[in-house]
Amino acid sequence: MPDINLILLSLHNLLRWALIIAALIAIVRAYSGWRNKKPFYSTDDRPGMFFTVLFDVQLLLGFLLYFTRGWIGTLSATLPSEMQNLNMRFFAVEHFLIMLAAAVVAHFARSSAKKAPTDVLKYRRLAIWFTVALVVLLAAVPWPFLTYGRPLLRLLGIQF
C-alpha cells in the first residue's frame, strides 16, 4: 500500500489541473458577462465559488504535505544553507507563500464582486481578480521546464 505522503502528493498534483481548469472557466464566464453586459445571477457565482473551494482544498492538501514531509524541521535546523538551495527554498517558502497569496486574491475577487453595485462591475471584478489569481497561481506551480520542476502528472509514484 502506498504511503500517505505519496497519496497526498498525487492528490495535490491532480487537483492542480482541476484548479487551473476551474480558474479558466470562471475567468471566461466573468469576461463574457462583463463584455456582453449580462445580468448577474446566483448561477454566475458558481464557477468562482467552485474555483475558490478547489483552491481551499488544494491549500489544505499543501499544508498537510508541508507538515508531513518535514519542511518545518528541515528549515529550523539548517535555514541559512537551505535558503541558498533553489529547490529547497522554492518548496519550503516560495511555493507555499505565493499559493497562499493567490488563494487570498481569489477569495478577494468573490468578496469584492458580491459588494459591487452593478452586474457589469461584478463581472469586471471577477474577471480581473480571478485573472490575477491565476497568473500568481501559475507563477508558483513547479513546472517541469523550471530548475525545481516536477512532472506534469504524478499518480502514486508514476510520473508523466
Side-chain angles (χ1 to χ4, degrees):
M1 176 166 191
D3 82 17
I4 189 69
N5 281 331
L6 188 57
I7 293 169
L8 288 173
L9 194 57
S10 295
L11 289 172
H12 191 65
N13 183 272
L14 289 172
L15 194 56
R16 161 182 41 179
W17 298 108
L19 185 60
I20 291 169
I21 291 167
L24 291 171
I25 291 169
I27 289 167
V28 167
R29 184 107 178 229
Y31 274 105
S32 173
W34 179 19
R35 185 171 181 262
N36 298 319
K37 296 180 170 80
K38 295 179 183 177
F40 192 88
Y41 299 110
S42 61
T43 55
D44 296 311
D45 184 47
R46 287 192 185 127
M49 180 183 66
F50 190 65
F51 171 49
T52 56
V53 167
L54 278 178
F55 219 138
D56 292 343
V57 173
Q58 182 72 333
L59 279 175
L60 177 62
L61 289 171
F63 282 136
L64 289 171
L65 281 166
Y66 195 78
F67 291 106
T68 60
R69 296 189 82 178
W71 287 112
I72 298 298
T74 300
L75 285 177
S76 62
T78 59
L79 186 63
S81 64
E82 296 302 341
M83 289 302 104
Q84 295 192 12
N85 179 323
L86 181 65
N87 289 338
M88 182 66 75
R89 186 179 69 230
F90 177 77
F91 285 106
V93 179
E94 295 167 5
H95 178 70
F96 166 73
L97 292 176
I98 295 170
M99 286 298 187
L100 186 60
V104 168
V105 170
H107 280 281
F108 171 78
R110 285 196 63 232
S111 174
S112 175
K114 286 179 184 179
K115 296 174 186 173
T118 67
D119 291 346
V120 171
L121 191 55
K122 288 179 187 200
Y123 282 118
R124 184 173 82 184
R125 288 180 179 180
L126 287 174
I128 292 169
W129 288 110
F130 280 165
T131 301
V132 170
L134 178 63
V135 168
V136 173
L137 179 155
L138 292 173
V141 170
W143 299 106
F145 52 84
L146 299 174
T147 305
Y148 44 79
R150 293 289 199 249
L152 286 175
L153 188 60
R154 179 186 307 211
L155 184 61
L156 301 175
I158 301 169
Q159 300 180 7
F160 302 95

